[in-house]
Amino acid sequence: MHKLGGLSRGWVWAVCALLAWAGVAAAAKVTFTYTPPKGLSVHAVDLRGSMNSWGESAMARHGGSWSVTIALKPGVYQYKYYIDGHWPKNMCKGSRYGSPVSPQAQACIGDGYGGANAVITVKASSAPSEAQRLGFHFSPQQADDLSVAQGQLTLRFQVGDGRVQAAKVWVGRVAYPAFLQLRTSKETWMALVPAGTESFRFQLELRGGGTRSFGPYRSPAHPFTAVNWVGKGTAYEIFPNSFYNGNPANDLLWKTDRTDEYYHNPKWQENPSRPRPLETAWLDAPVTAELCCHQYLGGDLRGVLDQLPYLKFLGVHLIYLTPIFEAGSTHGYDTSNYLKLAPWLGKTSTLKALLHRAHQLGMHVIFDFVPEDTGLGSPMFQSVVKLGPRSPYWSWYTINKWPFTPGDASAYQSWEGVASLPLLKTTNPQVERYLLHVAEHWIRFGFDGVRVDSPSTMVNDHSFIRKLRQAVLGINPRAYLLGEDWNVAPQWLQGHQFDSVMNYAIGRNVLIPYAGGRYPFLGGKWALQQLSFIYSRYPVAAQAMGFNVLSTHDTSRLLSQLSNLGLGGHPSPLDLARQRLAIALDTALPGTPVTFQGDECAFLGKKSPDDQERYPFQWSQCSQAMLLFYHRLGLLKTSVRALHSPVWRAGAASGGVLSFYRGAPGKGELLAIFNDQAATKVSLPQGNWTDLWNGEVVRGSLALPRMGWAYLSLR
Ligand code: CA
């Protein structure tokens, strides 16, 4: 689910983080602490204030206290703690949250709501330390700097640009080399040491002579650890309604599904001019206003089961199914019953067989979970409609007036104001328990993880997702947690919430503009800067589990975005080369490349990049050439070790050329090179390289045609 337009908090957060980053050299470290008074049980605390634009800095629990340390430039800051989804009214005066709530507060000032914010003044520290002079920063408690992926502890430190010429990590008497991973306004260096390493220190060789040591540091007891299977194959998104009809016998069952919002929304029933859900043959022209939501095409779970060999052929090891539960629409984001499958999609036994067969084929399957709202057809919501305040579910929603007509947006709070999606009050412990129970149920059933829809629209988004993670991993520690966020969103990826967000910020904002080549100034250098910025903000474990989408059911098709062509158009050889470049680039990134169903067939769809693609999969018209290309890339992704590595290292870029390395430096390391502009010759680093696409050995330089690319492996 996605609302178009509006700047989200994640984006604002990223801009603020960028601004804050520029001034970090002059910053002083300030630790904020919170100790709950005796008898108060606390599950999550965030620092929110002018230092983070009233965003969230999660505080970590140490024994009975909570704390977070952040670098602050000299200045005056106002803040509050956000405790289990609640604001203490006054940060200085006594309340159930303690008195004072923050021992760091030097004063309090009116918050404009009758309460008071804490105030702290940060002064410039007089004598800069050695670390400050070098711009060195490393914090073992931060997932950005320390996490585990593919069985190795990955360490990253930042240092001023051009200050260091080499570095190593000492673990006891063993030295491990560090290497420059990427450059932003600073340099980020990276090293791999054995997982389980408890203590280590850094040794930096300075440019201009001399060495400096930092440490020893201790690893945290439970570092953010990547689930290893995620980065070892390709992923595939399935929108079941329009994928494949494996069982025509269930095609019309939506008509008997009395939870359909159509039947529950009197306003719609009273309006005969509103089109009814359509019964459409697979190959009919289905582009109507109802395609998004109410055009039942017949696709089902049996269809997914039938096509597992096809997915295996593409190297798929992770299937993301959009919602499959009883709902009022074809897309299923308006859930009626979280614990029952939509009847037109199939029976529980079919789902069981699908998961079983997928697991046999080495695939994982995640389900789409919509915890922020229900549909109008939900029995909980219908109970409120009928009984009002006497309903046991009255406190599950935020109702402004009763009685009301479902569909009346003024009567209750709804998702982004869409009246068919009444918001759940996730701060109500009963609602929270129910939703966690739902997630646990489906993980127990056999799903390998969960994709969470629109999490930032929940009032208590971060504390809810922390609990969801605990609940899911409590049942399956190898499960994968994916969140819908369209922005650069490190706030979710610190090891306590999601493993990855849907990386639209990479695919849609960097890879497609680069491969689309519509703006020559967005060439290789620009793309490398964007990727470097994002990877400087994401912990290595989150990079290693990246869910790298190019297009989804919420956007138009990849080829339509690259060619600006709609259904029935004729893509040129250059358009198709752009698509090959985009998916080759996506496949070379850490984590997993994600194909939206049918993109591998070079299908076109709706033209506008913001149009949601829900057109039925025209199996008979699949481009065999593009399919074979995806198949060969999928084979490389599953078989080349460097492509499973958590290491992404920036290479050279100029003109249309973009390059980066995968895998630890040395033999077996992979150099991926791309060119989105005119044919050119690229000089290669020393050594003999094998071109993994054609097996040829290259050295010295490599000729790249327009839209050319290569995966080179160091021999
Ligand atoms: Ca069917």
Side-chain angles (χ1 to χ4, degrees):
M1 195 152 45
H2 172 53
K3 195 183 176 210
L4 303 173
L7 265 183
S8 88
R9 279 187 293 158
W11 173 240
V12 174
W13 194 96
V15 172
C16 295
L18 188 61
L19 295 176
W21 190 246
V24 86
K29 280 188 181 173
V30 181
T31 300
F32 293 85
T33 59
Y34 175 60
T35 307
K38 225 172 165 186
L40 179 66
S41 151
V42 169
H43 302 285
V45 187
D46 296 306
L47 167 70
R48 296 189 182 194
S50 52
M51 64 282 283
N52 57 12
S53 304
W54 297 90
E56 299 185 2
S57 298
M59 296 171 80
R61 189 203 295 257
H62 307 282
S65 293
W66 299 74
S67 72
V68 63
T69 301
I70 47 178
L72 291 177
K73 284 199 291 181
V76 181
Y77 298 90
Q78 293 189 29
Y79 64 96
K80 276 191 179 184
Y81 293 159
Y82 191 62
I83 304 166
D84 283 344
H86 298 286
W87 299 102
K89 192 168 176 65
N90 188 318
M91 288 288 286
C92 284
K93 280 195 187 139
S95 73
R96 62 185 292 252
Y97 296 108
S99 178
V101 183
S102 165
Q104 286 72 42
Q106 294 156 340
C108 273
I109 188 166
D111 63 3
Y113 298 94
N117 293 332
V119 176
I120 187 168
T121 304
V122 176
K123 293 197 177 112
S125 58
S126 45
S129 67
E130 183 65 31
Q132 282 169 326
R133 274 198 295 274
L134 287 173
F136 177 87
H137 178 266
F138 175 77
S139 169
Q141 302 299 328
Q142 283 178 357
D144 269 352
D145 293 356
L146 183 152
S147 63
V148 175
Q150 300 296 344
Q152 287 169 305
L153 183 64
T154 67
L155 307 172
R156 294 202 304 175
F157 64 83
Q158 282 78 47
V159 68
D161 197 16
R163 304 303 297 272
V164 166
Q165 62 177 7
K168 54 184 110 165
V169 182
W170 285 96
V171 179
R173 292 180 176 197
V174 184
Y176 294 87
F179 50 89
L180 176 63
Q181 187 197 13
L182 56 90
R183 278 197 175 88
T184 51
S185 59
K186 287 185 140 198
E187 292 178 354
T188 297
W189 287 64
M190 182 172 175
L192 305 171
V193 302
T197 295
E198 287 179 0
S199 167
F200 54 89
R201 63 189 172 84
F202 295 108
Q203 187 180 334
L204 278 51
E205 246 175 72
L206 305 185
R207 244 177 242 285
T211 60
R212 294 288 180 278
S213 279
F214 294 99
Y217 300 97
R218 288 195 74 75
S219 299
H222 304 289
F224 183 14
T225 300
V227 178
N228 286 341
W229 60 262
V230 178
K232 292 183 174 174
T234 69
Y236 196 84
E237 180 190 347
I238 294 179
F239 191 82
N241 180 46
S242 54
F243 182 60
Y244 186 72
N245 190 354
N247 177 15
N250 61 17
D251 286 3
L252 297 181
L253 285 185
W254 58 266
K255 292 175 84 174
T256 56
D257 180 0
R258 301 300 294 179
T259 60
D260 191 300
E261 75 184 34
Y262 178 83
Y263 298 102
H264 282 286
N265 187 337
K267 216 175 177 183
W268 286 18
Q269 289 176 39
E270 287 158 14
N271 180 1
S273 67
R274 190 179 173 93
R276 286 171 169 270
L278 300 173
E279 301 168 35
T280 314
W282 200 263
L283 293 169
D284 285 357
V287 183
T288 73
E290 297 295 293
L291 177 61
C292 74
C293 313
H294 297 283
Q295 197 163 353
Y296 292 83
L297 298 162
D300 49 33
L301 293 172
R302 178 76 224 180
V304 180
L305 176 58
D306 288 351
Q307 293 300 342
L308 287 179
Y310 172 81
L311 300 179
K312 187 73 188 167
F313 176 73
L314 289 170
V316 171
H317 77 326
L318 168 57
I319 299 169
Y320 153 40
L321 291 178
T322 60
I324 53 174
F325 310 121
E326 223 176 57
S329 64
T330 52
H331 57 66
Y333 287 102
D334 48 346
T335 323
S336 303
N337 189 334
Y338 291 94
L339 297 169
K340 259 183 81 184
L341 298 179
W344 52 274
L345 279 176
K347 293 189 174 140
T348 310
S349 54
T350 309
L351 178 62
K352 199 87 193 170
L354 163 60
L355 294 178
H356 181 68
R357 186 71 192 124
H359 291 160
Q360 279 181 333
L361 291 169
M363 298 178 185
H364 304 79
V365 188
I366 62 174
F367 69 98
D368 208 328
F369 184 33
V370 190
E372 72 274 13
D373 55 58
T374 65
L376 300 181
S378 153
M380 282 96 79
F381 189 72
Q382 286 298 319
S383 161
V384 170
V385 172
K386 287 183 196 92
L387 302 175
R390 286 181 296 120
S391 161
Y393 301 103
W394 178 255
S395 62
W396 284 43
Y397 299 90
T398 306
I399 309 293
N400 303 326
K401 62 179 186 194
W402 185 83
F404 62 85
T405 307
D408 173 1
S410 70
Y412 48 87
Q413 280 190 16
S414 52
W415 182 82
E416 304 281 11
V418 177
S420 59
L421 302 171
L423 269 189
L424 278 169
K425 204 192 272 176
T426 44
T427 45
N428 176 341
Q430 237 184 339
V431 176
E432 185 181 275
R433 264 200 305 280
Y434 172 74
L435 291 169
L436 295 178
H437 161 71
V438 168
E440 287 167 351
H441 170 81
W442 290 113
I443 295 293
R444 266 196 202 102
F445 186 86
F447 279 101
D448 304 285
V450 53
R451 181 262 191 191
V452 179
D453 186 65
S454 193
S456 54
T457 50
M458 281 184 283
V459 201
N460 56 338
D461 48 0
H462 290 288
S463 57
F464 179 84
I465 300 300
R466 280 190 201 112
K467 286 177 197 166
L468 179 72
R469 181 180 186 85
Q470 286 167 8
V472 166
L473 298 191
I475 293 164
N476 179 0
R478 286 163 49 80
Y480 181 52
L481 285 105
L482 171 67
E484 183 194 20
D485 194 309
W486 289 55
N487 305 293
V488 179
Q491 68 272 28
W492 293 113
L493 305 175
Q494 300 304 309
H496 310 294
Q497 300 173 68
F498 293 123
D499 293 323
S500 178
V501 291
M502 295 179 78
N503 282 331
Y504 287 103
I506 295 176
R508 184 175 162 88
N509 298 357
V510 183
L511 306 195
I512 291 180
Y514 169 77
R518 243 173 275 156
Y519 311 102
F521 58 90
L522 301 186
K525 230 175 194 155
W526 171 84
L528 192 66
Q529 278 168 359
Q530 299 298 311
L531 291 173
S532 296
F533 171 71
I534 294 168
Y535 287 142
S536 75
R537 306 295 301 145
Y538 283 9
V540 173
Q543 296 174 31
M545 293 189 283
F547 193 81
N548 303 321
V549 299
L550 288 163
S551 71
T552 67
H553 67 288
D554 273 338
T555 72
S556 60
R557 282 207 172 282
L558 176 59
L559 185 56
S560 284
Q561 293 191 53
L562 291 167
S563 65
N564 206 27
L565 293 169
L567 269 179
H570 298 284
S572 68
L574 182 63
D575 294 331
L576 297 167
R578 289 190 193 289
Q579 177 167 350
R580 291 195 298 270
L581 185 74
I583 188 68
L585 185 42
D586 201 31
T587 303
L589 294 178
T592 183
V594 187
T595 298
F596 175 66
Q597 62 181 38
D599 276 354
E600 73 279 13
C601 292
F603 288 148
L604 290 162
K606 290 187 176 181
K607 206 160 144 183
S608 153
D610 293 330
D611 268 342
Q612 298 168 331
E613 178 50 52
R614 314 238 165 131
Y615 190 82
F617 194 127
Q618 305 285 353
W619 289 89
S620 59
Q621 287 159 43
C622 183
S623 156
Q624 297 303 300
M626 190 61 85
L627 184 65
L628 204 60
F629 183 82
Y630 273 67
H631 160 71
R632 289 191 61 193
L633 271 184
L635 271 181
L636 288 179
K637 175 67 187 174
T638 48
S639 62
V640 175
R641 274 185 68 135
L643 289 174
H644 306 165
S645 161
V647 179
W648 178 93
R649 180 163 73 90
S654 71
V657 175
L658 159 69
S659 73
F660 52 79
Y661 297 86
R662 295 294 315 285
K667 197 168 178 291
E669 170 179 43
L670 187 137
L671 171 59
I673 312 181
F674 309 88
N675 175 30
D676 81 331
Q677 290 170 27
T680 187
K681 206 167 202 182
V682 184
S683 58
L684 298 176
Q686 267 198 337
N688 291 324
W689 300 84
T690 304
D691 185 327
L692 295 179
W693 194 255
N694 55 25
E696 284 173 15
V697 177
V698 286
R699 57 180 303 152
S701 67
L702 177 73
L704 277 182
R706 189 179 189 195
M707 300 301 145
W709 62 276
Y711 291 176
L712 305 179
S713 174
L714 186 59
R715 287 160 71 93

